[in-house]
Amino acid sequence: SPLVSSGFRRKMRVKEILRAATQAWSPAPQHPTYLALGTAAQQLDASFNTSSALEIFEMDFADTSLDMKLRGTLPTSNRFHSLIWVAFDPEGSSGRLIGGSESGSVTVFSPDAILCAGEDAVIGQSHKHTGPVRALDYNRFQSNLVASGASDSEIYIWDLNSFSNPMTPGTKSQPAEDVSVVAWNSQVQHILASANPSGKAIVWDLRKNEPIIKISDHSNRMHCSGMLWHPEVATQLLLASEDDRLPVIQMWDLRFATSPLKVLESHTRGVLSISWSQADPELLLSSGKDNRILCWNPNTGEVIYELPTANQWCFDVQWCPRNPALLSAASFDGRISVYSVMGGRLQQRSDPFGTGQALPPLQVPQPSEETVIVPPLKKPPKWVRRPVGASFAFGGKLVTFENPTAAAQQQPIARQVQVSQVTTETEFLQRSAELQAALQSGSFTSFCHDKIRSAPSDAEQDIWRFLTVNFEDEARVKFLRLLGFSKDELQRKVSHLNTALNITNHYRIFRTITDTDGLISQALLVGNFEGAVDLCLNDGRYAEAILLSISGGEELLKKTQQHYLQRQTNMVTQNWRDIVQSCELDNWKEALAALLTYANPEEFAPLCDTLGSRLQAGGTEKRCLQACLCFICSGNIERLVECWTSQRDCSSPLALEDLVEKVMVLRKSIERLRSGEVCVQSSALTERLVQYSSILASQGSLTSALRYLPDCPDQVHTLIHIYTVYSDIRSEPLVYRIYNMHGPSSETWFKPFAQSGPLGAPMGFMSGPSMPCSPPGPMMPAPPPPGFISPTSLPGGPVPLFPAAPHAQAPAPPPAGAYPPLGAGYPQGGPGAPGAKSFSAGILPPPTGTCRHQEEPLNTAVSHICLPENYTPPAPITAPVMGFPAEAPGPQDRVQVPPGAPQEPSIQSLQQLPAEHVEQKEIPAEHMILKTTFSSLVQRCQLAAADPLYQRLPASGLPDPRTVSSPKPSQNLHNQPMFPPSNHS
Amino acid sequence: MISYISICIKINEMTYFVSVINTVDTSHEDMIHDAQMDYYGTRLATCSSDRSVKIFDVKNGGQILVADLRGHEGPVWQVAWAHPMYGNILASCSYDRKVIIWKEENGTWDKMYEYTGHDSSVNSVCWGPYDFGLFLACGSSDGAISVLTCSGDGHWDIKKINNAHTIGCNAVSWAPAVVPGSLIEQPTGQKPNYIKRFVSGGCDNLVKLWKEEDGQWKEDQKLEAHSDWVRDVGWAPSIGLPTSTIASCSRDGRVFIWTCDDPAGNTWTAKLLHKFNDAVWHVSWSITGKILAVSGGDNKVTLWKESVDGQWACISDVNKGQGAVTSITDSQQNEQ
């Protein structure tokens, strides 16, 4: 069976079926690809079967078998001389099949109807032609126009939209003879050519409705079997001769139509069929009676391929319009075969194991099949020549090339490849550059201020404010202010307090300021002192509670005192850990303020971290931001990173930039305090920095990328590292020889990842903990404990990160100078240390008794409250307090003052106190607490008037004599214990 | 002839720039078919219909011709750099049915190996993940795919998949070494159980996935979506997420993004990136796997990025103008 032998060439012969048929490929846009086969006229098989049909087969190339899949059949009354498939597509159909029959009919079929076995498969039929219709072609520009040619010189132009009335291109040519071919010009839509078996071709102009040129080589031996217009050159056409005496293909150019431009001579017997590839005009197929199928480059006349085909004439060859490597060939042995011109192994019928051993040929003799390997087309077809390409490379580079179109290839072309930088993260790069600039210039304050200005949220703004403070003087005060203990806030509180005091005395009506305040006020208004005291206690306002309880009677006072003492034990013993561990999270500000004010330097950072951890554990975004503030205060970069990333997805470049900015600035501020470089060994940070570097590198900023890489023994390593991170490839401890990008092509041997851990340890994003950190890079001089800068390493002061920078590095004005009126400080952390709320700030009463509130009236409701000149706290409250023994602030209290705290002025002022106030001696020891509390109240007043007071301070920074002679014991909360004057350190 | 407009498109308030930093005049005498940078981005390999392969040193924006490799007898379609841990090695494939592996020794490039096992044009070469050795996949118009593995002593083992794609295989691309999701699931330091896999595209309009089992290559998946030849396939670099991603492009003008979240690798879904008006020839993922460069038959290169909602957006038409490129803003763009 012939089909058995087909297995030989399965790589070249793609599909095959036994049919004696006229063929038509589905148009290029059609998917899947079909092949329509109409029973061929004038061919009978051995059974003399005269039935005829139009069949549609699907070319399923995913199916590796040779079978075509029959998808539709339509029995027809006539056999086909010609068949075309037109991409006539009025309703998105698969077009039209048009058949020319031996009886002279032209029939229009609907392929869709045939495919679905519908009834309306025949759309139109005409019997205008008197003889067999051998020629059919469709117009390339107007697919509704179809030309047909038959015997007796008949040519009709059909309009598929109104099929019944064909036109003629002009007067019939004489003498009347068969029309063997019609062909529409590919470039000019109104030009049609027809050819006769006699070898004459006529070109018609349909606008003029007449023939415009006749072509004949006068040899009288051309018997036109085929005619084709050049796909791209309007004036050129090919004529194929089936005469064995002249088995040629002539190329004519109408610009010189007296003789053929070129003659393609290779067939030894008549040419039966030609097909010009629409995908590559340099590919022309021809089949001849010499059993050969040739592929030519018609422009050069060279045969570039010979299909090793059957030993039978092939009367029709056609390129597949959709799949440019395929052609179908219909041979007189009743076979339709689909071939690929891409070559392949011929006699490799069953070689599934790829041994490459050829099997012996089954059919002998077949000279053409002795060749084992059929090479592809000598000239690579256009459709395999990749014209353009773009490939990404390391560092966001894109390598692109293109090739000019054929038309432009006349002049010499520069064959160029371009390397481009693809930048997708412009904002990221810009911000990164700004950060880099700030890091290099050291202009952190302005950087931070820019950040504050542009901060998208309050939380963000807070963080930047905190970060800024680290670079400023009087950082501690500013921290406190940032925590909300601002002048205004205190004024408000003080005025409210005063209001409350006045009410206590005069039962005046005041306005609700806060909820709790309102409740307290209401309680007071109704004379419910006990309730008011409870409210105060619950709210942590011990001072108010005690003051109020005084008015509420002995019992209430006692109870309140008890309660207060209980609560304040921590304060007294300075058990800060308990405080930060047990305080209400809502009171985090107070707790942090307390730490800022009182905590022992060695404990400060851990305490801040503890508080931060608690806030972070709160889980909400708000709490985490608060935690971040704590970590900024403590200078714990690692925890900051951890906390920040716990709430935010830092995978996006900008989010990462947000984080890195903060970290770098914080690190710089620590470095500023320490006057040295800071190394943070934190896996979380390392991971982020590697990620950050990767993004920088991916955007082409390799130099910047290098700066952030936590470990960079050398730059080459780093680049590999970045790359490895990129590709997320697992590293092997292998020795690479690579070229140093940054050196003059010096070769470097190194083990990039060897030290990173066990063989095959994952590298990259996920490998933070195993990141090789052993060789300290330039940025990481020495690995200190993670996230914590040892206070002992701080020259000039024990304060870790904490805003002591200017004082630590340079002689600072003594605190007394900075806050002279407060100079007569109270021993911080002593038994009288105020509750959390009281830490907000220390305020002394105006030493001169001047009413500070006159200048700055508060809200309308309280503006009338103005303390008189020579203000002293209201008598009903102060009296009991003043009755306490004066020895309250004993040495024991002072001992508990954090080392370096400004005790001296406090002691001095305390020593001066008794001289001024005789009543103090009357204060019993057990009431000392109340005295302290009262002092704290006084401080609030002081703070309220803080600014004007400061303005009047002597520039020398010496204590104001009026302060020294203050009539009241005072507490200098502004003298930060953490903030020793230089003479103390 | 070459007049292009640099377009810088703003999407989601992001601006994207593509700027030419180096133009290399290759002096090829015919069409260039491929250009690839080496691992470090310091060397450029090009190949052409003039049958040559050229290597340029392109450090610091310069161009120094390092090698002009002659050995192919037909147009050279693709070049591929091996990982530098194996030395400076370049593979090239050609219409002449050969694959040549070139190696630099003491500054001189020479043939290291020549593979002639294909019966037709070899259209694509791709080195596998370096972690697992030096091995190369080759796709040919004869429909077969070969996997060449260097056994270390200069010998190469050949495994051939016949009839991988009817009419021909146009492209091959290896899966990354990291099994999707393994970074998340695998304990640190444990080597993942990597199965060698690659994707291929062919003239049967199919995208096929192959995997090695017991030393034999098996067809793992057959992805159907294209209606014409699949011109190129690209397996995206792993970014540690438990998703495999493949891009495929076709003569039908379509580019599909195939994703598979299923650890077994069986369920692939296709998303149409875009339907171009012309055939699409090439796809290339950025190293971070986030941007896809698509090269079309109309000489256009476009860059695509997946937005947060999973839609692919064109972020840029790559400028090919001569000299430096300036990006233009929206307003300028509107003026044009």
Side-chain angles (χ1 to χ4, degrees), chain A residues 936-958:
Chain A
S936 130
L937 288 171
V938 172
Q939 283 157 22
R940 295 187 182 193
C941 302
Q942 180 82 358
L943 245 194
D947 255 12
L949 192 62
Y950 292 1
Q951 282 158 14
R952 290 166 45 192
L953 293 177
S956 67
L958 291 170

Side-chain angles (χ1 to χ4, degrees), chain A residues 847-961:
Chain A
T848 56
T850 307
C851 172
R852 302 292 164 196
H853 298 289
Q854 276 173 322
E855 294 114 53
E856 298 174 34
L858 297 165
N859 63 53
T860 48
V862 294
S863 59
H864 63 279
I865 303 165
C866 180
L867 301 179
E869 291 280 320
N870 300 316
Y871 165 79
T872 50
I877 296 174
T878 51
V881 175
M882 295 308 173
F884 295 158
E887 66 271 21
Q892 162 198 355
D893 301 322
R894 269 165 278 166
V895 165
Q896 290 173 358
V897 171
Q903 304 171 28
E904 209 64 36
S906 309
I907 291 163
Q908 284 167 358
S909 73
L910 281 169
Q911 285 167 347
Q912 289 163 356
L913 287 176
E916 297 278 327
H917 299 280
V918 183
E919 309 98 299
Q920 283 194 314
K921 291 192 175 117
E922 297 164 14
I923 299 176
E926 67 269 24
H927 288 161
M928 198 55 214
I929 302 298
L930 284 178
K931 198 199 88 178
T932 312
T933 308
F934 181 68
S935 300
S936 130
L937 288 171
V938 172
Q939 283 157 22
R940 295 187 182 193
C941 302
Q942 180 82 358
L943 245 194
D947 255 12
L949 192 62
Y950 292 1
Q951 282 158 14
R952 290 166 45 192
L953 293 177
S956 67
L958 291 170
D960 187 3

Side-chain angles (χ1 to χ4, degrees), chain A residues 10-11 14 31 61-64 279 321-326 340-345 348 351-355 373-395 397-405 408-409 413-427 651 654 698 720 723-724 726-732 734-741 743-745 753 758-763 765-766 770, chain B residues 1-2 4 13-37 39-44 46 49 59 75 77-78 83-85 88 95 97 104 117 119-121 130-131 141-142 162-163 166-167 177-178 182-184 186 188-192 203-206 222 226-229 231-232 238-240 251-252 281-282 284-288 291-293 295-297 299-301 303 305 315 318-322:
Chain A
R10 59 183 310 147
K11 297 211 172 135
V14 180
H31 175 78
F61 301 118
D63 171 17
T64 51
R322 184 172 184 85
N323 197 325
L326 298 184
S340 159
V341 291
M342 291 309 290
R345 190 162 294 216
Q348 195 184 331
D351 187 16
F353 307 108
T355 58
I373 296 168
V374 177
L377 297 168
K378 270 187 206 164
K379 179 194 81 82
K382 191 180 173 184
W383 65 77
V384 299
R385 303 198 297 259
R386 185 160 87 179
V388 61
S391 300
F392 274 105
F394 175 65
K397 289 200 182 73
L398 184 68
V399 181
T400 53
F401 64 88
E402 61 186 21
N403 291 280
T405 53
Q409 283 180 355
I413 324 144
R415 304 282 178 184
Q416 290 180 338
V417 172
Q418 278 171 328
V419 183
S420 305
Q421 181 68 51
V422 176
T423 311
T424 53
E425 307 292 346
T426 46
E427 189 186 347
S651 56
L654 286 177
S698 79
I720 302 248
Y723 192 83
T724 311
Y726 267 172
S727 25
D728 251 348
I729 331 177
R730 280 154 203 266
S731 66
E732 301 271 358
L734 286 160
V735 177
Y736 298 21
R737 190 186 65 173
I738 68 138
Y739 286 88
N740 187 337
M741 287 182 76
S745 78
F753 311 120
L759 182 132
M763 294 291 298
F765 293 126
M766 313 303 290
S770 65
Chain B
M1 173 60 206
I2 309 178
Y4 300 91
E13 300 303 314
M14 301 283 273
T15 320
Y16 303 89
F17 294 91
V18 179
S19 48
V20 176
I21 54 178
N22 193 1
T23 299
V24 178
D25 196 337
T26 63
S27 299
H28 277 299
E29 290 155 20
D30 205 339
M31 285 176 82
I32 299 170
H33 296 299
D34 199 11
Q36 295 287 338
M37 286 272 209
Y39 189 83
Y40 307 109
T42 57
R43 287 185 176 198
L44 176 73
T46 62
S49 267
K59 269 194 286 251
W77 300 135
Q78 280 190 9
H83 191 275
M85 67 184 275
N88 287 321
Y95 191 69
R97 295 171 275 159
E104 186 192 47
D119 301 332
S120 185
S121 171
Y130 74 90
D131 316 47
S141 284
D142 66 6
N162 282 305
N163 296 318
T166 314
I167 316 170
V178 174
S182 64
L183 287 178
I184 292 161
Q186 295 272 338
T188 303
Q190 184 180 327
K191 200 158 183 168
C203 295
D204 52 6
N205 309 346
L206 293 175
K222 192 191 280 184
H226 289 291
S227 60
D228 208 330
W229 294 1
R231 282 290 191 195
D232 199 9
S238 164
I239 49 169
R251 258 172 60 92
D252 66 10
W281 284 86
H282 187 48
S284 172
W285 290 100
S286 68
I287 309 283
T288 46
I291 305 173
L292 184 71
S295 319
N299 266 346
K300 280 217 178 108
V301 175
L303 301 184
K305 198 169 194 283
I315 60 168
V318 172
N319 172 279
K320 298 291 197 51
Q322 289 147 341

